[in-house]
Amino acid sequence: MTRDITIMGGAFIGMGLLHFVRPAPFENIVPKALPRKKDLVYASGVVEIAAGAMMLHPRTRRLGGLGAVGLLAGVFPANLQMTADALRSSRAPGYYKVGTVLRLPLQAPMIRIALKAARA
């Protein structure tokens, strides 16, 4: 297993756990049109933990990588919502606004790593 897959698997597990420890920030970025925000946050946390763990084991790496690709695509609207909210906010610090914008193109290399795991 390559280092980038290991790092991403661990990061997915850690971020997935945060969905349960501190769900409020994740609820805030769920697009406004979607109902039951906390349920969606918990569900995405479960998928994130599962995909991360599966990427770490050779027998489940393919499915974990595919799950990670699906998750990254599925939560991209939340990332867009977070960026839009930050840019509209007069209270959001400048570094946060810049960070939310810079985060968007990082999805591409993350998807590439997940696809690499799926092919491993």
Side-chain angles (χ1 to χ4, degrees):
M1 173 171 39
T2 63
R3 184 174 175 195
D4 52 354
I5 294 171
T6 303
I7 291 169
M8 190 160 141
F12 265 53
I13 293 168
M15 289 304 294
L17 290 171
L18 275 177
H19 284 67
F20 296 94
V21 175
R22 294 208 46 218
F26 297 101
E27 288 176 64
N28 291 335
I29 66 170
V30 172
K32 292 168 186 13
L34 296 177
R36 300 178 62 179
K37 293 176 184 348
K38 187 171 268 190
D39 291 341
L40 291 171
V41 167
Y42 288 154
S44 65
V46 168
V47 172
E48 197 158 3
I49 293 165
M54 292 171 80
M55 282 192 291
L56 296 177
H57 194 280
R59 295 180 81 189
T60 56
R61 189 165 297 132
R62 176 175 166 70
L63 186 57
L66 293 173
V69 169
L71 179 68
L72 289 165
V75 300
F76 192 69
N79 295 336
L80 290 171
Q81 182 72 54
M82 179 174 59
T83 301
D85 290 347
L87 294 176
R88 277 194 299 265
S89 173
S90 60
R91 296 183 305 170
Y95 68 86
Y96 179 75
K97 292 178 181 187
V98 170
T100 62
V101 171
L102 293 177
R103 176 185 176 162
L104 297 176
L106 289 177
Q107 296 294 113
M110 291 174 65
I111 288 172
R112 238 185 339 271
I113 293 168
L115 288 171
K116 181 178 174 181
R119 289 189 300 268

